[in-house]
Amino acid sequence: MVHVAALICFLTCLVLSEAQHKHGYCAFYEECGRNPSLGDNLIPPFVPCLNYSRARALSGEHYRKLQQVCPMLDTGEGNTFACCSIKQLSSLEMSLTLSKAVLVRCPSCAENFAHLHCINTCSPHQSQTVKVTRVMNVTYLGKTREAVVGYQAFLSTNFADAAFLSCRNVRIPATGGFAIATMCGRYGAKLCTPQRWYDFQGDSSNGLAPLDIDFRLIKPGDTEGLPKGVIPYNGRALKCNETTPSGGQVCSCQDCQESCPMVPSPPLPPGPFRLLGTDGFLVISIVLFCLLIFAFLFYLLVSYLVNSQKKKDEEKGKRKGRGKDLNCNNVTQQIINPATVTCADRNSRAAQAFLSSLFQKWGTLMATYPLTVLLVSAGVVAAFSAGLMFIELTTDPVELWSAPNSRARQEKDFHDTHFDPFFRTNQLILTAPGRKGQIYESLLFGPQNFSGLVSKDLIIELLELQKQIQNIEFWSEDLNRTASLKDVCFAPLNPSNPSLTDCAVNSLPQYFQNSLANINAKVNMTELGVTKEVDWRDHLIYCLNSPLSFKDITDLGMSCMADYGAPVFPFLAVGGYESDDYTNAKAFILTFSLNNYARTNPKFKVAMQWEKEFLRIVQDYQKNPAANFTFAYMAERSLEDEINRTTAEDIPIFMISYAVIFVYIAVALGEYSSWKRVLVDSKFLVGLGGILVVACSVLASMGFYSWIGIPSSLVILQVVPFLVLAVGADNIFIFVLEHQRDVRRPGEKREQQIGRVLGSVAPSMLLCSLSESVCFFLGGLSTMPAVKAFALYAALAVLMDFVLQMTAFVALLSLDSRRQDSNRSELLCCVTVSTKRPDQPNEGFLLPLMRKYYAPVLLHRYTRVIVMLVFLFMLCGSLFLMFSVTVGLDQELAMPKGSYMLEYFKYLYKYFEVGVPVYFVTKGGFNFTTVAGMNAVCSSVGCDQFSLTQKIQYATNYPDRSYLAIPANSWVDDFIDWLNPGSRCCRLYTIGPNVGNFCPADKSPLLCGRKCMATPPDGVLRPSVDQFNRFLPDFLGNRPDLKCPKGGLGAYDKAVVKDASGQIIASRFMAYHTPLTNSQEFTAALLKARQLAHNITMGMRKIPGTSSDFEVFPYTVTNVFYEQYLTIVPEGLFNISLCLLPTFVVCCLLLGLDLRSGLLNLITIIMIVVDTVGVMTLWDIHYNAVALINLVTAVGISVEFVSHMTRSFALSTKHTRVERAMEATANMGSAVFAGVAMTNLPGILVLAFAKAQLIQIFFFRLNLVITLLGMAHGLIFLPVLLSYFGPSVNKAVLVEMQWAKAKANQELELRNTMRQAYDNISYEDNEVKQEPRCDAAKAPTHPSKPSTMTENRQGEKEVIIDRF
């Protein structure tokens, strides 16, 4: 037997050696049957018979068939010779049809591809370009003949390179990738070369080639190694920008770079603003600082000169003389002439008198009937709070941060209405650090690097985990049955009735169809005389580079397609690789996609349940010590779950914060004059009452808005109580401390004293509360739902807090004063203390300290200058830093420390190689059915050079500027290719009951002998309107397969939406962003995509018949979150300006149109806000909606720090601004420090222990900054500013004081006269009588002529001067 085999081999070699390479001779002819060395191929592997003979002249049907399949060989009927039979031409046509399905977009490429194989199969000079290398005996129809199963094909590199270049950039619209990636084996598009391209075509293991072809590319003039008589084929290959001989148009720009017009590169992003070669904002800040310093120093110089002149005038008696009062005391105070009092001064005094009188009467009334007031207040609060039964808590991030009428929200609603919402993603990213990689010597692909992760045992472990998740089952109350993945999964190729294998699960085991048998498969394979085992590694190498292949090139013969019928692109299966070295990947990616149902759909809860089970299984697997993976994971619900979880976990932190504040208030409000009276003089219940007032105001606000249907949020629950507590505590301290410092006048009742004290401080409380409330109400004009809701809730809460303080708290203080007067203990009301209350007012510890030490040091001549310089430097420095603040909120900041989502984000940014999908969505108003309409969208041959998809293609050429990585797929392009008669996709039944209907590609050609459309003469195929409307549904419902890869089911069936009349009202084209890792990149990507979409819109509106309101917009699932950062800077300026406006207006109005006080008040608050933003830059606090809420809050808290001081200064009657500033700093500064700063700081410091990063950054850090800067400006800068630029003393107040003193003097003289007349002689002897005889003028006796006598204590008691 061995001898027979050797003889056959010898004879075969003898025959092959005798074959000559002659002009006009064939090397083989006719089909001999199937290749016995191949199994089940994708097309029947018929091989030719060895037949060294002359080429045959063609005529009749034979000639017409050649003319149809290989027109480049046609030299006219009767003059055309070929080396192929009609059967060979039919087989060649079938083979070319499959390849043309992906190449037909570029006619010259398809022509060159056919040219190559026509030369090999049919050339009349075949023997000169091929050399048969292997033959086998094949028995077919009972006849045994020698068949050619391998040959060498000799090509000139000129032809080979040109043909390759014409096809290199042809795209597959459905994937956005290159067609050549599916035709170059493991090398993919990037590493493909002409030799590798031809090697793949000649490899019989690819499932398409019927025999092995060894392509030899020979350089011109190189004859070394060429068999005698062989002439490498050197025909002319068409360039991709050339028309074909058959009339085909040049390839489009997307498929042929040479066809592209000269498109200017997009402009570089604007560089940083620069002046004088350095940072422009730094230069401006320095110049501004110098100007402010110069202006301040100039002011000091002028003030010094003016004051010097005044002193000289006083010494000469020109401006101010000395006088004596009735007691011959020196008087240095200037006498105020009532005629010199301005209207503004009179208005200011009238306003203060009116408010003081009004609040005095009101306070007296509230203190007189405390129990009734408390009962009525409780009833009102209860009525408001009853609305909490209808409270709606918004947790959906979309509802929180995206306005319903915002552009991104409207685009999302349009997309989700016309298309299915973007599917829900549940994902694992798995790594195996520490495992050593290896080099695999592949028979087919040579040495390949395999990372330690890409190993058989880990792939099997991944498959086991995947199947465990796929097999999740649970009882669903909504479905009333057991539910599983198939009930909610995204099944693109069988959406109506999916099975588990129809669910879209993307993972590396999908390259093996999730089959353990396929992973374990191995076979011996011979290649180039070398026999070696091939296994899962060879299959994986091939599939990672050719994911669209239905069969690999190994003898394993396995498909690369996933079990659900779609390809798994390598960037969805592995990550952490470089330069397409997929087998050296550092991470596996496992993704389960679920349908994204509306929240009102019962299946939404089913999907949420499945995801809950998914997380449980993954977390259990993570705890398993036998697991070999280190991984991160997430479910679609994870983000919302983690936010809600951390909020619940941080509630105790907030409770502790409020408790600390409460303890401080209760302790700080006490008087503590004696240890024996501690329980009497403490203000524990008053502090508790103040806290309850705050709580009731918040509850009333929430209840009211719940009544009217405005939803709340977790941000409101966290921030509004904190804000109202800060405001309320300040007012409580001012009221209670003033009451403690006051002495009840003779004959004055307790209720009257409380009313008088309230009349003194309530206008200041009204000023702050009204400013803040109006500020927040105007903040309700914001377009951001979270900011708007916060502003409205805060505004009403602050207003209610003030109302309750004026009612319930006054009543509560009245009851506490009654208890204290009775010397009863606070917690033990029945226990009395014998030690009496001191007669002297209790100034506490802080007031004397600030009066004696702090105020004099602060307002020292040199200290004031230093303070001004430091704060001006802070302002200018913060202005510079403000322009460097980072805008955005990275989603990981919303997660608590230790959250599994933080690890997921880390893995995502590290290992993912492509970004999120972006859809370019078209609205109604565009006619796709016309030729002009199709050309304005498509990117294949005959399309506009600036069509929709072509413009997207241009953008992907600059991914660093456009943030687009992969061009958009195009249902229009694939629909046109699907209709092309050169492919097998669109055919019509010619036999049977379905005659004339669409016939799928998997049906026999005998049943479907008619093409949907005829071949166009110019190669540019465009359906008519009727054909478009008729075949589009067939295209969208056609499942893609090897015979027709252009089917639209799965890729496009949901990309086109028609109305009842058949008009296309919406469609979408999917591209991919580059990897986006932070909010700045997401925002920039959104902006660039919108600019591109607008450009596309303007171009498509020029097409005849297009509606003027037609629009193309980009849609990404993240747009609704990041759109706010496009406008948040002007939005923030608008909101903060609206808050600043009422602080100025209310201050001016309540101080009687005191514009200077209002302006200084406003300047200080602006400085606080600017400095806050500057510190945000230094402390890495990003500017976003949460920060904006805190900045709006900062305005409110700043009002507390500033407005009380400003009003106290404005109403002071001290002689100089410095003295008035000292008085305001001591009296009001101590109350503000105790009430605002020391109330906020303990509570804020507790928040440092919160788990949520969002709370730590935006509530601890930012609120700490706001409080410290507010305290610094209110207690340091503002007194100094007022000492320089504050308003003058209100002359109306001075005139009133002069009248009061004159009246007091008259009464004193009258009493003295009566005593002289009626006292007895003994008493008269003890009385010292002396008539005032002085050179100074006598005191006037009429109120219109006030005297200049000094103050005495009796007058002080009888004249009410508002100290605040």
Side-chain angles (χ1 to χ4, degrees):
M1 191 67 184
V2 175
H3 296 291
V4 173
L7 179 62
I8 292 174
C9 181
F10 171 75
L11 293 175
T12 298
C13 294
L14 183 63
V15 170
L16 295 179
S17 65
E18 289 179 351
Q20 300 180 18
H21 304 284
K22 289 185 179 181
H23 186 78
Y25 276 79
C26 304
F28 44 78
Y29 186 83
E30 192 54 86
E31 289 186 347
C32 276
R34 296 176 65 95
N35 188 337
S37 63
L38 297 182
D40 294 331
N41 256 31
L42 298 171
I43 58 175
F46 290 108
V47 291
C49 300
L50 182 66
N51 189 337
Y52 181 72
S53 58
R54 284 187 175 274
R56 279 72 169 168
L58 305 188
S59 62
E61 183 182 351
H62 196 175
Y63 168 75
R64 288 190 292 275
K65 191 67 174 178
L66 178 80
Q67 194 179 36
Q68 177 184 350
V69 179
C70 299
M72 71 287 300
L73 300 180
D74 177 23
T75 56
E77 188 169 5
N79 194 36
T80 299
F81 295 83
C83 290
C84 55
S85 65
I86 292 182
K87 288 184 178 180
Q88 285 179 282
L89 284 170
S90 297
S91 297
L92 178 60
E93 181 182 31
M94 182 182 296
S95 179
L96 291 177
T97 296
L98 294 176
S99 300
K100 282 185 175 181
V102 293
L103 300 177
V104 73
R105 288 168 49 84
C106 181
S108 57
C109 168
E111 180 87 2
N112 290 335
F113 188 84
H115 189 166
L116 166 68
H117 293 285
C118 284
I119 289 298
N120 288 342
T121 306
C122 296
S123 170
H125 315 296
Q126 187 185 65
S127 66
Q128 288 185 309
T129 59
V130 302
K131 177 186 177 182
V132 177
T133 57
R134 187 179 174 213
V135 297
M136 294 182 69
N137 285 333
V138 175
T139 301
Y140 183 63
L141 298 177
K143 187 176 181 181
T144 301
R145 290 180 289 183
E146 285 185 312
V148 176
V149 294
Y151 65 84
Q152 291 177 333
F154 297 89
L155 301 176
S156 167
T157 53
N158 289 342
F159 174 83
D161 292 349
F164 172 76
L165 290 175
S166 69
C167 296
R168 183 174 59 182
N169 294 315
V170 177
R171 295 271 184 178
I172 300 178
T175 66
F178 294 97
I180 207 166
T182 68
M183 306 172 70
C184 211
R186 73 179 182 90
Y187 296 104
K190 288 186 178 180
L191 301 178
C192 194
T193 63
Q195 184 66 63
R196 290 168 176 173
W197 187 44
Y198 292 120
D199 286 345
F200 178 82
Q201 296 176 43
D203 191 343
S204 60
S205 62
N206 64 17
L208 295 173
L211 74 171
D212 290 316
I213 307 173
D214 180 13
F215 286 96
R216 298 297 180 93
L217 307 186
I218 309 299
K219 294 181 180 180
D222 187 0
T223 59
E224 184 179 353
L226 279 179
K228 184 179 179 181
V230 169
I231 302 175
Y233 182 72
N234 193 25
R236 183 177 181 275
L238 298 172
K239 295 181 179 179
C240 60
N241 61 342
E242 289 184 294
T243 59
T244 65
S246 58
Q249 297 294 310
V250 299
C251 303
S252 70
C253 173
Q254 191 172 68
D255 301 316
C256 173
Q257 291 184 356
E258 290 78 3
S259 297
C260 294
M262 293 298 294
V263 179
S265 61
L268 292 170
F273 173 58
R274 302 186 72 81
L275 284 176
L276 304 176
T278 187
D279 191 310
F281 296 117
L282 177 61
V283 174
I284 292 175
S285 299
I286 293 174
V287 171
L288 178 62
F289 178 67
C290 294
L291 290 176
L292 290 175
I293 294 300
F294 174 78
F296 175 64
L297 294 178
F298 180 76
Y299 171 80
L300 291 181
L301 177 61
V302 172
S303 299
Y304 174 77
L305 295 177
V306 171
N307 291 333
S308 297
Q309 186 63 38
K310 283 184 178 180
K311 288 182 179 180
K312 292 179 180 179
D313 293 342
E314 291 175 0
E315 292 173 357
K316 296 179 180 179
K318 294 180 179 179
R319 295 181 55 86
K320 193 172 185 180
R322 290 185 175 271
K324 300 278 186 177
D325 63 5
L326 294 177
N327 297 317
C328 294
N329 296 318
N330 291 333
V331 178
T332 58
Q333 183 177 350
Q334 181 183 0
I335 300 175
I336 304 299
N337 187 345
T340 63
V341 178
T342 64
C343 180
D345 287 344
R346 285 194 295 270
N347 290 338
S348 176
R349 182 55 195 162
Q352 299 308 313
F354 171 76
L355 290 175
S356 295
S357 174
L358 179 65
F359 280 112
Q360 181 175 351
K361 294 177 181 177
W362 175 264
T364 303
L365 179 64
M366 295 299 103
T368 304
Y369 306 101
L371 295 178
T372 303
V373 170
L374 288 174
L375 184 62
V376 173
S377 299
V380 172
V381 170
F384 275 84
S385 302
L388 291 172
M389 295 185 297
F390 310 101
I391 190 171
E392 295 180 19
L393 198 62
T394 302
T395 58
D396 185 358
V398 175
E399 298 288 340
L400 273 175
W401 304 113
S402 181
N405 59 347
S406 69
R407 180 177 171 182
R409 187 72 175 277
Q410 290 177 343
E411 290 170 350
K412 180 183 186 301
D413 292 342
F414 181 91
H415 178 273
D416 292 351
T417 300
H418 293 86
F419 313 100
D420 288 341
F422 196 81
F423 50 78
R424 301 176 66 88
T425 300
N426 301 271
Q427 193 169 73
L428 292 93
I429 305 174
L430 306 100
T431 63
R435 288 176 63 105
K436 188 176 180 180
Q438 61 176 335
I439 297 178
Y440 171 60
E441 294 289 343
S442 171
L443 174 68
L444 297 172
F445 309 117
Q448 297 290 314
N449 290 321
F450 273 70
S451 67
L453 174 76
V454 185
S455 59
K456 185 176 179 179
D457 61 321
L458 290 185
I459 294 175
I460 293 175
E461 185 173 344
L462 176 63
L463 176 60
E464 292 172 351
L465 175 61
Q466 176 182 320
K467 287 187 174 181
Q468 185 182 0
I469 296 172
Q470 282 180 297
N471 293 328
I472 287 175
E473 291 186 346
F474 55 91
W475 178 260
S476 170
E477 296 292 341
D478 297 278
L479 300 181
N480 197 29
R481 60 175 173 83
T482 300
S484 64
L485 177 61
K486 66 180 182 180
D487 292 304
V488 291
C489 74
F490 174 64
L493 297 179
N494 187 15
S496 57
N497 186 28
S499 64
L500 275 180
T501 55
D502 291 320
C503 294
V505 179
N506 290 321
S507 66
L508 187 137
Q510 284 284 22
Y511 291 124
F512 303 90
Q513 295 74 53
N514 296 329
S515 168
L516 184 61
N518 286 352
I519 296 175
N520 289 323
K522 59 181 68 174
V523 66
N524 287 330
M525 181 177 177
T526 302
E527 178 75 9
L528 300 176
V530 178
T531 300
K532 194 174 182 180
E533 185 180 82
V534 294
D535 57 15
W536 65 272
R537 289 170 290 195
D538 301 271
H539 176 73
L540 181 63
I541 295 169
Y542 177 80
C543 290
L544 286 169
N545 290 279
S546 301
L548 294 170
S549 298
F550 286 85
K551 185 180 179 182
D552 66 18
I553 62 174
T554 72
D555 283 356
L556 293 170
M558 294 188 298
S559 173
C560 296
M561 305 295 280
D563 63 352
Y564 66 93
V568 177
F569 296 104
F571 57 77
L572 297 177
V574 293
Y577 51 84
E578 295 181 3
S579 301
D580 294 343
D581 188 10
Y582 302 119
T583 56
N584 206 23
K586 300 297 187 294
F588 289 150
I589 301 171
L590 175 57
T591 307
F592 295 85
S593 300
L594 308 186
N595 289 319
N596 200 351
Y597 303 99
R599 289 179 176 257
T600 55
N601 190 321
K603 281 201 171 184
F604 174 78
K605 293 183 179 179
V606 181
M608 293 286 281
Q609 281 183 273
W610 189 92
E611 290 172 357
K612 185 176 181 180
E613 292 297 314
F614 164 81
L615 291 173
R616 181 185 61 80
I617 288 178
V618 170
Q619 289 165 354
D620 289 344
Y621 175 75
Q622 192 175 41
K623 297 174 185 176
N624 185 357
N628 291 309
F629 288 115
T630 300
F631 63 92
Y633 59 92
M634 64 85 68
E636 186 74 21
R637 63 178 293 161
S638 294
L639 200 63
E640 190 171 334
D641 283 353
E642 287 296 280
I643 292 175
N644 293 339
R645 178 179 69 84
T646 187
T647 302
E649 290 180 353
D650 282 331
I651 285 178
I653 298 295
F654 277 92
M655 294 299 101
I656 293 173
S657 176
Y658 293 141
V660 169
I661 295 174
F662 162 67
V663 171
Y664 166 74
I665 292 175
V667 172
L669 286 179
E671 297 183 62
Y672 312 115
S673 58
S674 170
W675 284 107
K676 296 180 180 180
R677 291 185 55 86
V678 167
L679 294 179
V680 177
D681 295 336
S682 67
K683 289 291 185 290
F684 180 84
L685 293 179
V686 172
L688 177 61
I691 299 291
L692 290 177
V693 164
V694 171
C696 289
S697 63
V698 174
L699 291 175
S701 175
M702 295 179 65
F704 174 78
Y705 286 115
S706 298
W707 274 118
I708 63 177
I710 297 179
S712 181
S713 68
L714 296 174
V715 175
I716 291 174
L717 295 180
Q718 292 169 343
V719 181
V720 171
F722 203 82
L723 169 67
V724 179
L725 189 59
V727 174
D730 184 32
N731 289 342
I732 290 172
F733 267 90
I734 291 174
F735 186 21
V736 174
L737 291 181
E738 179 63 19
H739 180 258
Q740 291 174 351
R741 296 169 184 173
D742 185 72
V743 177
R744 191 177 304 168
R745 296 176 179 175
E748 188 178 43
K749 296 181 179 179
R750 177 191 312 105
E751 293 78 8
Q752 292 174 332
Q753 181 194 14
I754 292 175
R756 178 171 53 79
V757 172
L758 184 66
S760 173
V761 299
S764 185
M765 297 165 63
L766 175 65
L767 169 62
C768 293
S769 299
L770 189 60
S771 297
E772 292 159 357
S773 185
V774 175
C775 158
F776 291 129
F777 272 123
L778 291 177
L781 298 175
S782 173
T783 59
M784 294 183 189
V787 177
K788 179 178 181 178
F790 161 77
L792 291 176
Y793 274 78
L796 186 57
V798 170
L799 193 60
M800 286 296 299
D801 182 59
F802 176 75
V803 172
L804 290 176
Q805 285 175 344
M806 294 297 102
T807 53
F809 189 76
V810 173
L812 185 65
L813 185 63
S814 176
L815 292 175
D816 187 74
S817 297
R818 185 183 304 175
R819 174 199 59 77
Q820 194 173 8
D821 289 346
S822 302
N823 291 333
R824 283 182 287 140
S825 299
E826 189 168 32
L827 298 178
L828 303 173
C829 299
C830 298
V831 178
T832 59
V833 177
S834 59
T835 304
K836 294 184 178 181
R837 185 178 183 180
D839 295 332
Q840 297 297 323
N842 187 353
E843 291 186 341
F845 167 75
L846 199 57
L847 176 59
L849 180 68
M850 297 191 76
R851 180 191 295 132
K852 187 175 181 180
Y853 299 105
Y854 177 74
V857 172
L858 174 66
L859 294 166
H860 188 271
R861 177 185 305 175
Y862 299 113
T863 307
R864 289 192 296 153
V865 174
I866 294 173
V867 166
M868 289 297 296
L869 294 179
V870 169
F871 277 83
L872 288 178
F873 175 78
M874 288 173 56
L875 172 65
C876 296
S878 297
L879 279 173
F880 165 68
L881 292 172
M882 186 171 64
F883 290 101
S884 301
V885 69
T886 303
V887 177
L889 174 63
D890 294 335
Q891 51 189 343
E892 53 264 39
L893 291 181
M895 301 295 100
K897 287 184 177 179
S899 170
Y900 64 86
M901 286 296 292
L902 293 177
E903 193 70 10
Y904 172 76
F905 289 132
K906 177 182 174 182
Y907 275 50
L908 180 69
Y909 300 148
K910 183 176 181 180
Y911 295 116
F912 255 67
E913 302 297 330
V914 73
V916 294
V918 52
Y919 295 98
F920 287 86
V921 181
T922 66
K923 292 185 176 181
F926 184 81
N927 190 353
F928 287 90
T929 63
T930 65
V931 173
M934 285 182 274
N935 288 342
V937 173
C938 66
S939 57
S940 56
V941 59
C943 300
D944 295 343
Q945 290 185 326
F946 295 96
S947 65
L948 180 150
T949 49
Q950 194 58 62
K951 286 182 178 180
I952 298 173
Q953 163 67 25
Y954 295 147
T956 59
N957 294 334
Y958 302 91
D960 56 327
R961 304 182 202 176
S962 67
Y963 296 93
L964 292 176
I966 299 177
N969 62 16
S970 171
W971 62 267
V972 176
D973 284 273
D974 277 343
F975 179 44
I976 293 172
D977 294 346
W978 183 83
L979 288 171
N980 197 303
S983 71
R984 193 177 173 178
C985 292
C986 191
R987 304 176 300 164
L988 301 176
Y989 282 105
T990 53
I991 301 176
N994 296 318
V995 173
N997 292 336
F998 168 68
C999 174
D1002 59 352
K1003 301 299 180 182
S1004 170
L1006 299 176
L1007 298 176
C1008 314
R1010 180 183 166 195
K1011 300 288 187 179
C1012 294
M1013 294 187 65
T1015 302
D1018 61 353
V1020 180
L1021 183 142
R1022 296 291 184 271
S1024 65
V1025 174
D1026 292 338
Q1027 290 171 324
F1028 188 102
N1029 292 324
R1030 175 186 177 187
F1031 294 121
L1032 182 60
D1034 296 325
F1035 163 71
L1036 297 176
N1038 186 204
R1039 181 168 181 150
D1041 54 28
L1042 177 64
K1043 296 179 179 178
C1044 179
K1046 294 289 185 176
L1049 182 63
Y1052 301 121
D1053 57 310
K1054 295 181 179 180
V1056 183
V1057 180
K1058 291 185 175 184
D1059 61 12
S1061 64
Q1063 296 293 321
I1064 296 176
I1065 57 173
S1067 70
R1068 65 183 184 183
F1069 303 81
M1070 185 179 72
Y1072 279 91
H1073 278 304
T1074 55
L1076 307 174
T1077 60
N1078 54 52
S1079 56
Q1080 292 76 44
E1081 291 181 355
F1082 276 103
T1083 306
L1086 169 60
L1087 180 61
K1088 292 299 181 182
R1090 282 186 172 175
Q1091 291 173 352
L1092 177 59
H1094 175 73
N1095 185 284
I1096 293 171
T1097 299
M1098 293 297 101
M1100 294 180 70
R1101 284 181 181 177
K1102 297 177 183 178
I1103 304 301
T1106 303
S1107 173
S1108 59
D1109 61 351
F1110 167 76
E1111 182 184 3
V1112 178
F1113 66 85
Y1115 172 73
T1116 302
V1117 68
T1118 57
N1119 283 358
V1120 289
F1121 303 115
Y1122 294 104
E1123 183 194 39
Q1124 58 181 299
Y1125 303 125
L1126 296 176
T1127 58
I1128 195 168
V1129 172
E1131 176 88 12
L1133 291 174
F1134 173 75
N1135 279 282
I1136 293 175
S1137 298
L1138 284 181
C1139 286
L1140 292 172
L1141 180 63
T1143 64
F1144 172 73
V1145 173
V1146 173
C1147 183
C1148 290
L1149 291 177
L1150 293 186
L1151 291 179
L1153 299 179
D1154 187 348
L1155 296 179
R1156 185 182 294 189
S1157 294
L1159 186 61
L1160 296 177
N1161 202 57
L1162 178 64
I1163 289 174
T1164 308
I1165 295 175
I1166 290 175
M1167 289 178 66
I1168 294 174
V1169 174
V1170 171
D1171 288 355
T1172 299
V1173 178
V1175 176
M1176 284 172 60
T1177 305
L1178 293 177
W1179 209 352
D1180 196 28
I1181 303 173
H1182 295 184
Y1183 174 67
N1184 47 55
V1186 182
L1188 177 57
I1189 289 176
N1190 280 277
L1191 289 176
V1192 172
T1193 304
V1195 176
I1197 294 178
S1198 299
V1199 168
E1200 294 293 326
F1201 279 112
V1202 173
S1203 296
H1204 292 301
M1205 291 284 293
T1206 304
R1207 182 175 182 273
S1208 180
F1209 177 88
L1211 298 182
S1212 174
T1213 57
K1214 294 293 184 180
H1215 297 170
T1216 66
R1217 288 190 177 94
V1218 173
E1219 291 175 345
R1220 293 163 63 204
M1222 285 186 180
E1223 182 184 46
T1225 302
N1227 292 340
M1228 184 55 69
S1230 58
V1232 169
F1233 178 79
V1236 185
M1238 295 308 297
T1239 301
N1240 284 3
L1241 285 176
I1244 291 173
L1245 293 176
V1246 173
L1247 296 182
F1249 300 98
K1251 293 183 178 180
Q1253 297 183 87
L1254 204 65
I1255 294 176
Q1256 286 189 351
I1257 294 174
F1258 296 102
F1259 293 94
F1260 165 62
R1261 288 190 198 174
L1262 194 51
N1263 278 313
L1264 181 63
V1265 169
I1266 291 169
T1267 302
L1268 292 178
L1269 287 176
M1271 182 172 62
H1273 284 77
L1275 300 180
I1276 300 175
F1277 173 73
L1278 182 60
V1280 174
L1281 182 69
L1282 291 171
S1283 70
Y1284 282 120
F1285 307 102
S1288 302
V1289 179
N1290 191 319
K1291 292 183 178 181
V1293 176
L1294 295 179
V1295 168
E1296 185 174 344
M1297 290 176 62
Q1298 291 176 171
W1299 290 348
K1301 291 173 183 177
K1303 183 178 179 181
N1305 184 61
Q1306 291 176 353
E1307 292 178 355
L1308 181 61
E1309 288 182 345
L1310 181 61
R1311 283 198 294 270
N1312 290 336
T1313 303
M1314 295 295 295
R1315 286 173 183 171
Q1316 292 176 359
Y1318 297 103
D1319 284 353
N1320 55 47
I1321 297 174
S1322 64
Y1323 191 80
E1324 289 178 359
D1325 291 338
N1326 296 327
E1327 185 81 10
V1328 178
K1329 301 176 183 178
Q1330 184 175 357
E1331 284 294 324
R1333 296 183 178 273
C1334 304
D1335 296 332
K1338 291 185 179 181
T1341 59
H1342 193 273
S1344 61
K1345 299 179 181 180
S1347 71
T1348 60
M1349 74 172 186
T1350 57
E1351 294 184 30
N1352 57 64
R1353 186 168 184 83
Q1354 180 67 27
E1356 210 175 46
K1357 290 182 180 180
E1358 294 180 3
V1359 180
I1360 301 176
I1361 301 298
D1362 191 344
R1363 292 165 55 189
F1364 290 87

